Amino acid sequence: MSAPSRFDRGHTDDLMSFLAASPSPYHAVANAAERLEKAGFRQVAETDAWDGTTGGRYVLRGGAIVAWYVPEGAEPHTPFRIIGAHTDSPNLRVKPRPDTGAHGWRQVAVEIYGGPLLNSWLDRDLGLAGRLTLRDGSTRLVNIDRPLLRVPQLAIHLDRSVSSEGLKLDKQRHLQPIWGLGNDVRDGDLIAFLEEETGIGAGEVTGWDLMTHSVEAPAYLGRDGELLAGPRMDNLLSVHSGVAALAALAGGDLPCIPVLAAFDHEENGSQSDTGADGPLLGSVLERSVFARGGSYEDRARAFAGTVCLSSDTGHAVHPNYAERHDPTHHPRVNGGPILKVNVNNRYATDGSGRSVFAAACEKADVPFQTFVSNNSMPCGTTIGPITAARHGIMTVDIGVAILSMHSARELCGVDDPHLLANSLVAFLAG
Ligand code: ZN
């Protein structure tokens, strides 16, 4: 295997395009698939019989994608090297009967998905995106990527306590976006509007999974442009780097089978048919073994030698709240990817996992940092422990340190995404 590919600022420019074009998990996996197709991967249907030939394949299921590359000479018991990530982000999602309003305002009824920083959704120009299901069962992506909605904050003159007591938002009453004016709100207005905007015939849409997004484009930020502001870095940053790393290895001669597994529903616990706590990844890995003529014994041998790097965002040290971090672990933006550790298995990393990631970073000439929570702060979690427990696969939690996690507009450094991608290439190469 030749030296891993080196990604640079071109990678960050491409990340900005990926973030902007992926306002929903369904768009994220479509954009991932498009990049993989360009690298020679082809889609396989779960309902078809699979063959065991060499090359790149991917499976799409809802807002999840699993892609893998079978190199020349792979045996049925050849182990996998997996990048795990998630495609969903906290946001406001459209309710089943969305058409509402009061006092001459048209409004869209929304539910809160995951744990967004609610204040970050106020007074932003919001678009609407997601998936429409048609009468014949087919699905269509939709993206109204212009200012369509807004959750208007109450003027300070009408809420003087906001200065002394802080902002208090009632999730039911205060977060319903407006999307225009009118007294004649009727059931079906929003879906009829989307049918018209997308050219789908009236009455054809029978199901929808729709969510709001900020229409503000990602941007370089800072004195020297050393920062990147944008939406959904948690965790499309990892999905994007994983796709780039897997695509860079296609055609290579590898001792393992590199895999990218990007799941939906991490932000609400991963328990779905497209979440990390579902059977999707295990099913794809097993079918890959069996399609190459493997037995259950081969499957067990392959899984026993497999390692998963679960990549997700983590917390960079915040200059205004440094005391919230562990005093000896202060991950910095642009300091390289982070290894995440928690002895109570909120992260799956152990000492052996650390050494796998350290070896990949050394091979890629990438510095890495370590994150551990302050003992007084509850530690977040991600798909790492779920993947380890569900499949019995050695898993290491890593990621990129950002600020403003779960805000509608997050912040990372410009170097970390390509440093992460370089470390993923080195890891996937075995
Ligand atoms: Zn995340």
Side-chain angles (χ1 to χ4, degrees):
M1 180 70 200
S2 55
S5 318
R6 302 296 299 183
F7 300 103
D8 54 18
R9 291 290 173 101
H11 178 82
T12 319
D13 288 338
D14 191 59
L15 168 62
M16 292 165 83
S17 310
F18 186 75
L19 292 172
S22 306
S24 80
Y26 315 111
H27 288 83
V29 297
N31 291 321
E34 190 183 312
R35 283 165 161 77
L36 290 167
E37 290 271 352
K38 281 188 188 141
F41 286 66
R42 63 179 173 80
Q43 185 175 4
V44 289
E46 290 184 88
T47 47
D48 286 350
W50 292 6
D51 66 55
T53 52
T54 58
R57 311 268 196 288
Y58 67 91
V59 164
L60 285 183
R61 191 197 281 193
I65 184 168
V66 182
W68 67 102
Y69 172 73
V70 179
E72 203 76 52
E75 308 255 18
H77 62 266
T78 297
F80 300 94
R81 286 232 157 182
I82 304 168
I83 305 296
H86 68 89
T87 59
D88 60 319
S89 303
N91 55 21
L92 309 178
R93 299 201 173 183
V94 173
K95 280 187 170 177
R97 291 184 66 193
D99 299 293
T100 184
H103 308 289
W105 294 99
R106 282 183 193 284
Q107 290 176 280
V108 174
V110 293
E111 273 187 287
I112 316 293
Y113 179 82
L117 282 171
L118 294 175
N119 61 295
S120 72
W121 287 85
L122 302 178
D123 295 344
R124 274 185 201 276
D125 300 342
L126 303 176
L128 194 64
R131 182 177 70 170
L132 300 172
T133 305
L134 309 190
R135 197 168 284 284
D136 63 4
S138 63
T139 56
R140 285 268 297 270
L141 295 182
V142 58
N143 183 10
I144 311 297
D145 198 25
R146 64 173 171 84
L148 178 71
L149 308 116
R150 176 180 171 124
V151 185
Q153 186 169 357
L154 185 62
I156 194 165
H157 315 81
L158 303 179
D159 183 16
R160 294 285 182 194
S161 69
V162 74
S163 302
S164 51
E165 293 167 26
L167 180 64
K168 292 198 176 74
L169 293 170
D170 180 286
K171 288 180 181 170
Q172 177 62 31
R173 287 187 295 140
H174 298 154
L175 291 164
Q176 308 305 323
I178 56 160
W179 72 300
L181 300 172
N183 288 312
D184 55 341
V185 173
R186 281 188 300 260
D187 259 352
D189 279 353
L190 180 70
I191 298 305
F193 165 78
L194 292 174
E195 287 172 338
E196 202 176 305
E197 286 273 316
T198 52
I200 295 171
E204 283 301 304
V205 173
T206 52
W208 55 89
D209 302 280
L210 297 167
M211 57 204 76
T212 57
H213 65 276
S214 166
V215 298
E216 191 180 2
Y220 289 107
L221 186 146
R223 196 192 74 161
D224 300 315
E226 64 269 57
L227 301 167
L228 174 61
R232 300 178 291 281
M233 289 171 182
D234 177 9
N235 187 23
L236 295 185
L237 191 162
S238 297
V239 174
H240 176 260
S241 282
V243 169
L246 184 60
L249 289 170
D253 180 18
L254 306 169
C256 58
I257 296 172
V259 180
L260 169 72
F263 301 100
D264 202 350
H265 302 135
E266 189 271 349
E267 299 292 355
N268 58 15
S270 298
Q271 288 189 318
S272 75
D273 65 333
T274 51
D277 209 5
L280 179 60
L281 175 61
S283 159
V284 167
L285 300 184
E286 285 179 345
R287 289 184 70 175
S288 167
V289 170
F290 299 148
R292 279 175 280 123
S295 62
Y296 190 81
E297 180 74 358
D298 292 311
R299 178 251 184 234
R301 292 176 68 192
F303 275 45
T306 290
V307 187
C308 173
L309 277 192
S310 165
S311 181
D312 203 346
T313 48
H315 304 295
V317 63
H318 193 303
N320 301 343
Y321 300 89
E323 75 285 356
R324 305 285 171 106
H325 292 256
D326 181 79
T328 58
H329 296 82
H330 279 176
R332 284 167 181 267
V333 155
N334 285 343
I338 52 171
L339 179 79
K340 301 167 163 181
V341 180
N342 179 265
V343 289
N344 292 309
N345 273 359
R346 302 287 287 169
Y347 298 127
T349 310
D350 64 7
S352 303
R354 183 188 194 282
S355 97
V356 170
F357 187 57
C361 287
E362 191 176 309
K363 192 161 108 186
D365 196 19
V366 164
F368 76 93
Q369 319 178 74
T370 309
F371 174 85
V372 68
S373 278
N374 181 313
N375 289 344
S376 306
M377 294 281 154
C379 182
T381 190
T382 177
I383 62 163
I386 295 168
T387 307
R390 180 162 190 98
H391 306 293
I393 286 171
M394 178 187 188
T395 303
V396 191
D397 273 300
I398 62 146
V400 161
I402 68 168
L403 289 186
S404 310
M405 189 187 292
H406 287 195
S407 166
R409 198 163 174 86
E410 298 169 325
L411 188 73
C412 75
V414 291
D415 290 329
D416 291 328
H418 67 87
L419 292 173
L420 173 70
N422 284 329
S423 72
L424 298 185
V425 171
F427 165 74
L428 286 180

